[in-house]
Amino acid sequence: MLLTALEFLGLVAFAASGALAAVRARLDVFGVVVVGLTTALGGGIIRDVLLGIHPPTSLRNWPYLAVCAATALIVFAFHPQVARLRHAVLLADAVGLGVFATAGTTLALNAGATGYAACLIGMTSGIGGGALRDLLLREIPLVLRKEIYAMAALTGAVCVWAGHALSLPAGAVTTGSAVVVVAIRVLTLWRHWNAPVARPPEERSL
């Protein structure tokens, strides 16, 4: 029940972040809903496709679509007020990242994937929706430009893999690994840490 509640919290946060980005890009209400749904459900759909789960879980259970669509519509209607809740949205987003990355890794391991593949699938489950959001808005995905986001998801996935290899209780491993992801995200946001970026080559004077 706790993981389910956290999963829906993550869906709401992802849908809200996608809808806010779409509002800033001046999309109409349909576009806002589409981007919100893509952000919230994209990572899980990619995960299920990679694992051969057809149709994807989020398309078989209507509450996933309903919650995400309702969130996007609320953001469209009240986006100035939602934008002021930036810190709350970022915290919820961190929780969603932790839950999706670790739950995706667990699902992949239970489906017989190797540890290496399971970690990549788990990371993709966490960051895939945001990457698709940025592509729809014609931007370079945020996870490739700045912030320690994908690495946080990958760290949580590796923790799940390690716990699985040590035969630790699955529930405790998944929950603990999600906490690790959330802690990394909160710390990096608080300290304004970003992944290193290469300096552009110096232009030679003619």
Side-chain angles (χ1 to χ4, degrees):
M1 290 295 295
L2 176 61
L3 286 177
T4 300
L6 291 175
E7 182 178 21
F8 274 96
L9 175 62
L11 287 173
V12 169
F14 285 166
S17 69
L20 278 173
V23 168
R24 295 191 191 103
R26 306 292 297 169
L27 271 62
D28 64 14
V29 62
F30 179 74
V32 170
V33 172
V34 168
V35 174
L37 287 172
T38 301
T39 307
L41 304 177
I45 291 175
I46 294 172
R47 176 203 64 205
D48 290 351
V49 169
L50 291 174
L51 294 176
I53 301 174
H54 302 294
T57 304
S58 58
L59 300 183
R60 286 187 283 114
N61 299 315
W62 66 266
Y64 289 87
L65 289 169
V67 167
C68 296
T71 300
L73 288 172
I74 291 172
V75 170
F76 179 82
F78 303 102
H79 61 89
Q81 293 86 344
V82 175
R84 287 197 289 268
L85 300 175
R86 180 175 179 273
H87 293 296
V89 172
L90 286 174
L91 178 59
D93 180 88
V95 172
L97 178 67
V99 171
F100 288 133
T102 54
T105 307
T106 301
L107 182 62
L109 289 170
N110 292 339
T114 63
Y116 168 76
C119 288
L120 292 180
I121 290 173
M123 181 185 70
T124 302
S125 179
I127 70 173
L132 292 174
R133 172 201 63 207
D134 294 341
L135 291 175
L136 284 175
L137 298 177
R138 296 189 297 178
E139 298 177 1
I140 298 174
L142 182 65
V143 297
L144 303 180
R145 290 187 285 122
K146 63 179 182 177
E147 295 191 3
I148 299 175
Y149 198 85
M151 291 304 299
L154 184 59
T155 300
V158 171
C159 289
V160 172
W161 178 20
H164 185 270
L166 295 173
S167 300
L168 298 177
V173 168
T174 303
T175 304
S177 300
V179 170
V180 169
V181 177
V182 175
I184 293 174
R185 280 295 295 152
V186 170
L187 181 61
T188 56
L189 289 170
W190 175 47
R191 301 296 297 177
H192 302 288
W193 289 340
N194 291 296
V197 177
R199 292 183 179 180
E202 296 182 1
E203 295 183 2
R204 294 182 178 180
S205 58
L206 299 176

